[in-house]
Amino acid sequence: MTAPAGEDDGFEPLSTYREYPPEEMAARASAFADEMHRRRTTRHFSERPVAREVIEHCIRAAGTAPSGAHQQPWHFVVLSDAAIKRRVRQAAEAAEREFYATAPAEWLDALKPLGTDADKPYLEAAPYLIAIFAKRYGINADGSRCTHYYVSESVGIATGLLIAALHHAGLATLTHTPNPMGFLREALGRPENEKAVMLVVAGYPADGARVPRLRRKDPEDIGTFL
Ligand code: IYR
């Protein structure tokens, strides 16, 4: 596992790994699961400001996600300016009005327990909207295209880490997927090779914030050991 002396094979020792005693490992796994269980998506956000530094750290955490061929095919655009948030809200609500007027009955029925509708006040109230873009392909220095691999998987993992990081920091989150959301790319000045995949709303929950009474599947129902 070592390169011939004097040659750089592009590898380095795995120096960041930490081993814990087995009991500590189990305790850490359990505590993390408990912490993640406390995460709830809410649609009720406070306007209370949050330090930009917190969001910067959370994006740093998201950027640790593994990605196809380590191409890191993601970009996060953080919106906090009131005028930009208002524009995004207006465009998202226009798209959602169309969605709620035309979506299949089965889809609308599935959404009923969440109590959603075309009004998205949280897109203006919350201090941060984080627009997540997937780089469908890369651009080489000479302007030619470079294929990206497993883009949705990679961006999905990064988004999961972002949500976990925001929750861990003590922020409430909401994943919002305007339908359609093509408007985001142009509105936020992102290049043609990027595709908007999600808006993550982040901030303090509003006083009296509510969430639907949902039940999570039990571990036995979502995992099988063979
Ligand atoms: N984009 C719509 C509808 C919506 C769809 C799903 I699937 C959800 O889990 C929640 C909402 C909206 O944001 O209202």
Side-chain angles (χ1 to χ4, degrees), residues 43 96 99-100 107-108 110-111 114 116-120 122 174-179:
R43 292 181 164 75
E96 295 295 356
F99 168 79
Y100 282 95
W107 193 343
L108 294 174
L111 291 179
L114 305 183
T116 57
D117 58 28
D119 281 347
K120 306 295 176 196
Y122 46 78
L174 163 67
T175 48
H176 178 58
T177 46
N179 184 3

Side-chain angles (χ1 to χ4, degrees), residues 2-199:
T2 46
E7 271 183 44
D8 182 355
D9 64 355
F11 281 71
E12 62 189 9
L14 168 58
S15 57
T16 51
Y17 171 77
R18 269 192 214 164
E19 179 175 323
Y20 301 102
E23 316 75 59
E24 194 179 339
M25 185 188 269
R28 288 174 63 92
S30 169
F32 187 70
D34 289 345
E35 178 169 359
M36 291 312 293
H37 260 286
R38 291 191 298 100
R39 189 200 62 79
R40 290 300 314 265
T41 289
T42 185
R43 292 181 164 75
H44 303 139
F45 282 85
S46 154
E47 292 183 9
R48 216 169 130 196
V50 170
R52 168 185 164 142
E53 180 192 7
V54 175
I55 306 300
E56 288 171 353
H57 288 308
C58 293
I59 288 177
R60 192 159 64 85
T64 67
S67 60
H70 191 55
Q71 284 160 327
Q72 306 171 81
W74 43 64
H75 191 84
F76 304 90
V77 180
V78 182
L79 312 179
S80 55
D81 177 78
I84 297 179
K85 286 191 294 179
R86 184 169 321 117
R87 260 199 290 140
V88 167
R89 175 184 179 181
Q90 284 166 353
E93 287 183 336
E96 295 295 356
R97 276 193 292 276
E98 172 75 11
F99 168 79
Y100 282 95
T102 58
E106 184 183 7
W107 193 343
L108 294 174
D109 276 350
L111 291 179
K112 273 205 185 113
L114 305 183
T116 57
D117 58 28
D119 281 347
K120 306 295 176 196
Y122 46 78
L123 293 179
E124 265 187 276
Y128 294 106
L129 310 179
I130 306 173
I132 301 172
F133 288 86
K135 292 180 181 286
R136 297 179 292 122
Y137 55 88
I139 317 265
N140 296 315
D142 66 0
S144 59
R145 288 182 181 198
C146 123
T147 306
H148 278 171
Y149 306 98
Y150 298 103
V151 173
S152 348
E153 291 83 348
S154 306
V155 177
I157 297 168
T159 302
L161 292 184
L162 176 67
I163 292 166
L166 291 163
H167 168 70
H168 182 68
L171 291 172
T173 54
L174 163 67
T175 48
H176 178 58
T177 46
N179 184 3
M181 70 177 123
F183 70 89
L184 278 173
R185 189 181 71 74
E186 282 203 9
L188 306 183
R190 297 309 303 167
E192 210 278 319
N193 62 326
E194 293 187 7
K195 180 178 184 281
V197 294
M198 189 163 307
L199 273 176

Side-chain angles (χ1 to χ4, degrees), residues 215 217-225:
R215 182 187 159 272
K217 290 179 179 175
D218 294 322
E220 311 80 79
D221 297 330
I222 62 168
T224 304
F225 286 72

